[in-house]
Amino acid sequence: MKLKDKVAIITGGGGGIGRATAVLFAKEGAQVVVSDINQESAQETVNLIKSEGGEAVSVVADMANHVDVEKLVSFTTETYGGLDIIFNNAGVGNQEVKLADLPVEEWDRVVDINLKGVFLGMKYAIPKMIERGGGAIINTSSLLGFKGKKYVSAYNASKGGVITLSKNAAVEYGTKNIRVNAVAPGVIDTDIIQNWKDDERKWPLISRACALGRIGQPEEVAKAVLFLASDDASYVTGTSLLVDGGGLTF
Ligand SMILES: NC(=O)c1ccc[n+]([C@@H]2O[C@H](COP(=O)([O-])OP(=O)(O)OC[C@H]3O[C@@H](n4cnc5c(N)ncnc54)[C@H](O)[C@@H]3O)[C@@H](O)[C@H]2O)c1
């Protein structure tokens, strides 16, 4: 088992990539705090884990709200005695319009969840990891954090920010034995891309726009997150691991 007795928080754990990662972490021996803004879906993930004999608990937290995030971290350390891993994964897409037409409120909503949420997750987790003698942080960026794309300026900016913010944390806390990396998925089959799947004209193009010619599954991202979280990645920090089927290369 790669995460035996480790304590891990997974945000956005009620959805595709977060849920697949929570299930995999639990199989690898972690005690998992499944956090999401959606109580029901977080609890469904916990039920899945428990049905396979794993250990998990659900916590409702809005990652854009610093009070919620601080409570999430303190609940975790009170429940399991410490914190070893946080996967800052909660995220949302943006209303797809040209930059000048994007409402300011929509910019704030997306950047608050996708970028400030990652900042808050790290801000409250890092002191607990220092107390523990080290830890691993994985932040969810995106293929779109590396490139331009029409009509998704808030999303792309937030995901580009996650890459740089992860590097900052990596250089500030490396000597405290905390590794910080980003995972950058390409097109993965989850709820967040439902509007793309519903577009009969564009979907065949989007779904094949990578070297492998197919979309990815959440479990394929989860395996990369497990690598970054585990001691297999003991000398890996400050990097962004693309799990995009060769989407950036394409
Ligand atoms: N699916 C893809 O193609 C793809 C590609 C690149 C990056 N990503 C990123 O992967 C991450 C996970 O997304 P997914 O694809 O699993 O989609 P998803 O919609 O299935 O999961 C996202 C989860 O985040 C939760 N969430 C939304 N707002 C929240 C908030 N304010 N606080 C806490 N939780 C909140 C949702 O309830 C949901 O469970 C996101 O950061 C997303 O941007 C996804």
Side-chain angles (χ1 to χ4, degrees):
M1 285 198 195
K2 290 185 188 293
L3 302 180
K4 191 160 170 32
D5 299 330
K6 299 285 187 193
V7 178
I9 294 175
I10 297 186
T11 77
I17 293 170
R19 174 172 291 174
T21 306
V23 168
L24 184 59
F25 275 21
K27 275 189 190 143
E28 293 292 337
Q31 297 158 305
V32 185
V33 177
V34 179
S35 179
D36 205 285
I37 200 165
N38 182 328
Q39 198 274 332
E40 211 173 301
S41 64
Q43 189 54 42
E44 275 171 24
T45 302
V46 168
N47 295 346
L48 257 175
I49 290 171
K50 291 203 159 164
S51 71
E52 294 177 357
E55 171 58 31
V57 64
S58 67
V59 176
V60 177
D62 175 357
M63 290 309 290
N65 180 323
H66 68 96
V67 178
D68 278 15
V69 183
E70 189 169 16
K71 279 189 192 155
L72 165 65
V73 172
S74 51
F75 171 85
T76 302
T77 54
E78 280 157 22
T79 306
Y80 291 123
L83 175 64
D84 303 294
I85 299 162
I86 186 164
F87 180 30
N88 291 306
N89 165 74
V92 290
N94 74 209
Q95 183 188 326
E96 296 196 14
V97 291
K98 283 188 175 175
L99 187 150
D101 300 325
L102 187 71
V104 172
E105 298 73 21
E106 177 67 351
W107 168 275
D108 287 345
R109 184 185 74 89
V110 172
V111 174
D112 275 3
I113 298 170
N114 292 4
L115 182 56
K116 189 172 99 180
V118 169
F119 158 67
L120 292 174
M122 293 202 289
K123 174 177 169 57
Y124 295 111
I126 284 170
K128 302 295 182 189
M129 290 179 171
I130 291 173
E131 281 173 19
R132 193 90 151 168
I137 299 175
I138 305 95
N139 299 322
T140 303
S141 176
S142 168
L143 162 64
L144 295 180
F146 288 85
K147 66 195 285 283
K149 186 178 189 299
K150 283 181 179 170
Y151 315 134
V152 282
S153 48
Y155 184 83
N156 280 28
S158 70
K159 294 300 186 180
V162 167
I163 291 171
T164 321
L165 188 61
S166 303
K167 290 183 193 296
N168 274 72
V171 296
E172 288 179 8
Y173 295 100
T175 56
K176 296 287 183 194
N177 196 28
I178 298 174
R179 296 182 299 99
V180 187
N181 293 290
V183 66
V187 182
I188 309 296
D189 196 3
T190 70
D191 289 352
I192 211 171
I193 60 157
Q194 193 56 49
N195 57 336
W196 292 356
K197 286 170 85 173
D198 291 342
D199 188 330
E200 286 175 19
R201 196 174 55 85
K202 284 195 201 150
W203 180 239
L205 299 174
I206 295 172
S207 60
R208 290 199 293 268
C210 68
L212 295 181
R214 64 168 177 86
I215 61 167
Q217 294 304 314
E219 292 75 16
E220 296 181 285
V221 182
K223 286 180 202 166
V225 180
L226 172 62
F227 166 70
L228 293 171
S230 75
D231 287 344
D232 286 348
S234 56
Y235 202 55
V236 181
T237 195
T239 198
S240 304
L241 178 53
L242 279 160
V243 185
D244 68 341
L248 187 61
T249 307
F250 194 65

